[in-house]
Amino acid sequence: MTTAAQRQVLDQGDIARSLTRIAHEIVERTKGADDVVLLGIPTRGAHLARRLHRKLAEITGHELPVGTLDITMYRDDLRLKPARALEHTEIPADGIDGKLVVLVDDVLFSGRTIRAALDALADHGRPRAVQLAVLVDRGHRELPIRADYVGKNLPTSLRESVKVKLDEKDGVDAVLLGGSGESNASSEGQSTLKGPSN
Amino acid sequence: MKRHLISTADLTREDALLILDTAEQMAQVSTRSVKKLPTLRGRTVVNLFFEDSTRTRTSFEVAEKRLSADVINFSAKGSSVSKGESLKDTALTLQAMGADAVVIRHSASGAPKLLADSDWLHGSVVNAGDGTHEHPTQALLDAFTMRSHLNPGVGHDLVGRRVTIVGDVLHSRVARSNVHLLHTLGAEVTLVAPPTLMPFGVETWPCQTSYDLDAALTKADAVMMLRVQRERMNAAYFPTQREYTRRYGLDARRLALLPQHALVMHPGPMVRGMEIESSIADSDRAVIVEQVANGVSVRMAVLYLLLGGSEPAITTSSANTSEENGK
């Protein structure tokens, strides 16, 4: 899938170090991460959430609840594209009421995915607070949403595409910056870049 | 296909699996505290029932409401249909009211197809049972129930599983829809019925037929008992009810012939003591109540895939859309 126009901005080591740092920041900011629940947004956010879960277990010595949250049915662009297949939602057994939910996603772009995730979350319970961890923040927000934990701030132009590849899904760990809208840009990347092509 | 769901024969293997996999996720919604999704907000779905139904209509209504659609129930009794209004005029009225989808049950085989092929209505048409033709969402929920017991997991099919369908096949739209869908999913279907209740031309269907229930039971993974539809019978198809029950009813002796893991299914409504012994319907081998619960999830999946996006997901090109929307 890698084309000549794509440039690698993060490699496997960079991604691992970013996640380690985010894990430490979560423990620091939440004073021990005792009531933290990690929820990954499928598909790559879910893989990142599981990686953070492993790192947090090493740091804190106990296993935090981890799950996935599919946001497809809550998207604001459902009507603009063909109906798509759903991903799996798995809320930890103890639920999210009164907990500190950390949402995990790969790329933060327009903020619309996170808006949908907040709506989805409200139908599952009432967390004490919600925070957001992303591997890459590429800017160009269309909603008043920001990340609490960022792996890398990556200033981009709207013409560029950001593609996160993870070993669990793509067989390799990398963050690629493409010259123009690739069809396999990450979900947030698609919403604005590919708007007219739907 | 493929704005409509008229027949399971129209579904490709990919379509069928997409519906079952989507239903798997929809089933989770029923376990949450807020049993509602905003997906079909602002869409209007009309339940157009020209024939009596409690289970199917209620199931569709629950599914539509869980997806936040506006639901209009229209039953022929007490409507202008009893004053002589034609299907066309009813459809034109619904179109003028802005129906995005019509779920139709009709006593005439082919009525949903007529509606779908016409330009009376622009919305999607979902067949909720037409005469003795098809009942696709029932077959989908049956396949969903079988898969969850016999080969659980997203993306799994029913290859090599043996399903025996017993009873009034002639009048059964459930049997017809099931034969096509189960064949598409790779299962081997055997129809068992008295010769008088075997449909004309059944040899062209993708299934086997038999008149001997005992022999068909010993290797079945699932057995589906059909109701004898007396309301559609205008002739004597078998001498007495007692003889029918003796030869084609599921009793304790026959249950013992089934493999241990085999499921006992019934699309409902049941006539206890006729095609199925009451104690078997209530036993833990029967998944009849589970079928009803799965009906809501499957109908949510169908409505979402037909109405949720700018165009239906159930198309022959579903392979590349799922690739592109892998996230």
Side-chain angles (χ1 to χ4, degrees):
Chain A
M1 288 263 211
T2 308
T3 62
Q6 286 184 315
R7 183 165 60 84
Q8 180 162 316
V9 285
L10 293 182
D11 65 15
Q12 188 179 8
D14 297 327
I15 291 174
R17 280 189 293 278
S18 293
L19 290 176
T20 305
R21 178 173 52 73
I22 289 174
H24 279 283
E25 283 178 6
I26 290 174
V27 176
E28 187 185 358
R29 292 264 298 275
T30 62
K31 300 190 171 59
D34 290 327
D35 60 351
V36 166
V37 176
L38 294 168
L39 285 183
I41 298 172
T43 51
R44 290 183 184 79
H47 294 307
L48 290 172
R50 277 189 280 275
R51 290 191 192 188
L52 273 177
H53 172 253
R54 282 196 294 275
K55 290 189 187 289
L56 283 162
E58 285 170 23
I59 297 166
T60 63
H62 61 262
E63 300 264 325
L64 297 174
V66 61
T68 58
L69 183 68
D70 179 43
I71 55 105
T72 309
M73 308 281 272
Y74 295 85
R75 298 185 71 100
D76 60 5
D77 59 352
L78 266 181
R79 303 275 171 86
L80 306 178
K81 297 180 188 178
R84 61 203 99 187
L86 303 182
E87 300 288 343
H88 190 58
T89 292
E90 193 180 340
I91 302 295
D94 288 340
I96 57 169
D97 286 333
K99 304 284 177 62
L100 197 163
V101 170
V102 177
L103 292 171
V104 185
D105 202 1
D106 54 353
V107 181
L108 179 59
F109 182 19
S110 65
R112 289 175 190 268
T113 300
I114 305 305
R115 199 248 359 128
L118 292 172
D119 279 359
L121 213 49
D123 284 353
H124 286 279
R126 185 180 184 279
R128 175 171 73 78
V130 182
Q131 296 183 342
L132 172 62
V134 296
L135 184 59
V136 175
D137 181 351
R138 63 165 296 188
H140 304 290
R141 215 75 76 237
E142 293 165 6
L143 294 169
I145 281 170
R146 60 163 177 76
D148 299 270
Y149 313 101
V150 179
K152 177 155 179 76
N153 279 300
L154 194 63
T156 56
S157 104
L158 276 173
R159 295 179 166 282
E160 291 169 316
S161 71
V162 175
K163 174 72 184 163
V164 172
K165 295 196 171 205
L166 293 177
D167 189 38
E168 295 92 329
K169 183 171 171 67
D170 312 294
V172 63
D173 270 4
V175 176
L176 305 172
L177 187 62
S180 62
E182 301 287 322
S183 63
N184 57 350
S186 77
S187 63
E188 291 231 76
Q190 278 184 329
S191 56
T192 311
L193 277 176
K194 301 277 289 168
S197 66
N198 294 312
Chain B
M1 259 219 93
K2 311 267 228 164
R3 203 151 52 85
H4 313 290
L5 180 61
I6 303 299
S7 161
T8 52
D10 298 337
L11 295 173
T12 64
R13 182 176 174 279
E14 286 68 34
D15 288 338
L17 288 178
L18 179 63
I19 294 172
L20 298 188
D21 291 346
T22 305
E24 206 87 54
Q25 306 306 329
M26 294 295 185
Q28 286 191 322
V29 176
S30 311
T31 66
R32 318 194 311 196
S33 53
V34 179
K35 298 181 182 59
K36 218 168 168 75
L37 292 163
T39 315
L40 296 185
R41 228 180 47 186
R43 303 254 168 146
T44 304
V45 181
V46 178
N47 296 325
L48 184 57
F49 279 66
F50 292 96
E51 210 185 46
D52 293 336
S53 161
T54 40
R55 187 178 330 257
T56 305
R57 211 214 54 193
T58 317
S59 179
F60 266 108
E61 189 172 344
V62 171
E64 289 149 9
K65 287 183 170 168
R66 291 222 170 130
L67 291 170
S68 305
D70 293 325
V71 182
I72 298 171
N73 287 312
F74 183 105
S75 57
K77 276 181 195 140
S79 74
S80 295
V81 174
S82 55
K83 299 175 189 163
E85 190 177 63
S86 70
L87 180 63
K88 177 178 178 179
D89 290 322
T90 306
L92 290 173
T93 307
L94 298 176
Q95 171 63 24
M97 290 177 184
D100 294 298
V102 174
V103 175
I104 178 173
R105 165 164 293 192
H106 203 287
S107 55
S109 303
K113 175 107 170 80
L114 182 70
L115 211 54
D117 291 345
S118 73
D119 56 358
W120 309 333
L121 266 176
H122 299 147
S124 296
V125 177
V126 179
N127 183 358
D130 59 333
T132 60
H133 177 227
E134 287 237 24
H135 191 352
T137 56
Q138 176 70 40
L140 285 162
L141 77 88
D142 290 335
F144 183 85
T145 308
M146 286 179 213
R147 186 175 84 158
S148 68
H149 286 275
L150 301 174
N151 192 14
V154 167
H156 289 190
D157 56 18
L158 292 168
V159 165
R161 301 304 192 278
R162 295 194 178 94
V163 182
T164 303
I165 302 178
V166 189
D168 185 359
V169 178
L170 178 64
H171 298 104
S172 177
R173 49 199 177 204
V174 176
R176 205 170 301 245
S177 286
N178 260 300
V179 166
H180 291 303
L181 180 66
L182 292 172
H183 173 71
T184 303
L185 290 172
E188 295 164 23
V189 183
T190 306
L191 298 175
V192 181
T196 48
L197 289 175
M198 207 56 105
F200 179 76
V202 74
E203 61 279 357
T204 62
W205 296 15
C207 65
Q208 294 173 337
T209 56
S210 166
Y211 304 130
D212 181 1
L213 179 54
D214 289 4
L217 287 179
T218 53
K219 53 185 173 50
D221 295 300
V223 56
M224 189 183 300
M225 306 307 296
L226 302 174
R227 183 174 63 93
V228 175
Q229 302 195 29
R230 290 184 166 271
E231 73 275 17
R232 296 190 207 276
M233 291 185 181
N234 48 11
Y237 287 90
F238 45 84
T240 65
Q241 178 181 333
R242 206 169 116 86
E243 181 173 332
Y244 179 87
T245 306
R246 283 272 298 277
R247 296 203 53 180
Y248 298 100
L250 190 62
D251 55 17
R253 181 187 67 78
R254 291 212 166 96
L255 187 68
L257 294 176
L258 279 171
Q260 266 310 310
H261 70 274
L263 309 172
V264 174
M265 307 176 73
H266 195 299
M270 276 186 284
V271 183
R272 289 172 183 250
M274 177 87 174
E275 69 270 7
I276 188 165
E277 206 170 84
S278 193
S279 62
I280 295 172
D282 297 329
S283 76
D284 56 2
R285 298 289 293 279
V287 292
I288 298 164
V289 178
E290 205 181 309
Q291 285 173 269
V292 178
N294 290 339
V296 174
S297 307
V298 163
R299 291 178 176 117
M300 284 172 77
V302 167
L303 290 165
Y304 164 68
L305 292 171
L306 289 179
L307 294 178
S310 59
E311 56 187 84
I314 311 173
T315 62
T316 41
S317 64
S318 61
N320 64 34
T321 52
S322 65
E323 172 69 27
E324 193 174 339
N325 296 314
K327 155 117 195 201

